[in-house]
């Protein structure tokens, strides 16, 4: 059963993408985790973290997962999707977190979703 304030997002949306390093931290905690938890606390529709296999940023240093290069600070993308108003209201919460990295906004359209129609406890799979 969904809570009264929870609705499933369909139609026009805004995608927030934050590109950071895997080892970037916030108070000794992975930065990507802090962003996801703040998005969750803000009630946003969804957030995911994707680990890159190769990339470079402002430093112009190429980080890669190839064994011979031994790079450990791979690129990470945190993607958050919700309505434009809700995503823009969340942006000030990123200001103090993301001091190095790239924050991008893209208009998109949510056309469907998969998975359970009922919220589930964290870490539990639907039956």
């Amino acid at each position: 059963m969904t809570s009264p304030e929870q609705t499933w997002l369909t139609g026009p949306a805004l995608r927030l993408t934050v590109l950071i390093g895997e080892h970037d931290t916030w108070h000794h905690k992975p930065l990507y985790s802090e962003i996801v938890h703040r998005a969750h606390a803000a009630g946003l529709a969804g957030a995911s973290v994707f680990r890159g296999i190769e990339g470079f940023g402002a430093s112009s240093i190429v980080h890669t997962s190839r064994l011979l290069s031994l790079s450990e600070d791979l690129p990470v993308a945190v993607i958050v999707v919700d309505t434009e108003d809700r995503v823009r209201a969340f942006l000030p919460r990123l200001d103090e977190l993301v001091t190095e990295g790239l924050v991008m906004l893209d208009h998109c359209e949510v056309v469907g979703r998969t998975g359970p129609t009922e919220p589930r406890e964290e870490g539990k799979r639907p039956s």
Side-chain angles (χ1 to χ4, degrees), residues 12-81:
L14 196 63
R15 177 179 48 219
L16 165 67
T17 304
V18 182
L19 300 175
I20 54 176
E22 178 181 35
H23 290 181
D24 291 346
T25 60
W26 173 258
H27 293 228
H28 309 290
K29 179 179 175 183
L31 179 57
Y32 58 83
S33 180
E34 182 67 18
I35 294 169
V36 167
H37 283 87
R38 286 189 185 201
H40 184 261
L44 296 176
S48 297
V49 178
F50 299 93
R51 184 175 187 229
I53 57 171
E54 189 165 31
F56 71 94
S59 71
S60 294
I61 297 171
V62 175
H63 300 275
T64 180
S65 64
R66 283 180 278 147
L67 186 60
L68 294 177
S69 74
L70 299 175
S71 176
E72 295 180 4
D73 192 24
L74 294 171
V76 172
V78 182
I79 299 178
V80 178
V81 177

Side-chain angles (χ1 to χ4, degrees), residues 51-123:
R51 184 175 187 229
I53 57 171
E54 189 165 31
F56 71 94
S59 71
S60 294
I61 297 171
V62 175
H63 300 275
T64 180
S65 64
R66 283 180 278 147
L67 186 60
L68 294 177
S69 74
L70 299 175
S71 176
E72 295 180 4
D73 192 24
L74 294 171
V76 172
V78 182
I79 299 178
V80 178
V81 177
D82 207 320
T83 63
E84 182 168 356
D85 291 344
R86 292 175 60 86
V87 170
R88 290 193 184 279
F90 180 69
L91 289 175
R93 297 181 187 196
L94 289 179
D95 283 345
E96 65 179 321
L97 296 177
V98 183
T99 58
E100 293 181 17
L102 183 63
V103 177
M104 301 179 296
L105 295 173
D106 299 294
H107 290 280
C108 61
E109 182 177 357
V110 176
V111 295
R113 63 175 187 81
T114 61
T117 57
E118 309 253 340
R120 64 177 188 252
E121 291 179 43
E122 191 170 317

